[in-house]
Amino acid sequence: MSEEHGHFEQGRWVEDPEPAADAPVIEEQIQEASRSVQKAIDDVVGLGHHLFGTQEGREHIERKARAAGADLSRAINDVAESARRALKRH
């Protein structure tokens, strides 16, 4: 029993509920993560254009980077949707 996580009510210890996450802050973090993913993809594609001398090499790295970015974006969106649902329940 820690007073930081609860309080006495009518002589009994009552656990305090977990504080709800602030929806605007979460939305901001989701948007920032999405921007970071897009920047990372753009950076890898740009690097590929400098490193690979052939069109085939540049296209290969671009396809791989965009596929990885799409997977990561889907994961971010899935987590974000779960967070939104959790916030609505509170």
Side-chain angles (χ1 to χ4, degrees), residues 4-87:
E4 294 176 28
H5 302 291
H7 61 279
F8 283 101
E9 197 170 285
Q10 296 178 351
R12 294 184 59 196
W13 183 256
V14 178
E15 292 287 326
D16 289 335
E18 291 291 321
D22 191 17
V25 171
I26 289 175
E27 286 298 326
E28 211 173 283
Q29 290 174 331
I30 292 166
Q31 290 173 3
E32 179 61 30
S34 294
R35 284 190 297 270
S36 293
V37 167
Q38 187 58 51
K39 183 177 181 335
I41 293 166
D42 293 343
D43 289 348
V44 169
V45 169
L47 178 63
H49 282 264
H50 285 35
L51 289 179
F52 297 103
T54 66
Q55 183 65 25
E56 183 180 89
R58 290 190 293 267
E59 288 172 356
H60 175 76
I61 194 73
E62 186 171 345
R63 279 192 306 274
K64 293 291 186 177
R66 296 217 185 278
D71 289 345
L72 190 51
S73 290
R74 274 192 296 279
I76 290 170
N77 289 335
D78 290 347
V79 170
E81 188 55 37
S82 293
R84 287 182 190 106
R85 284 193 303 268
L87 284 171

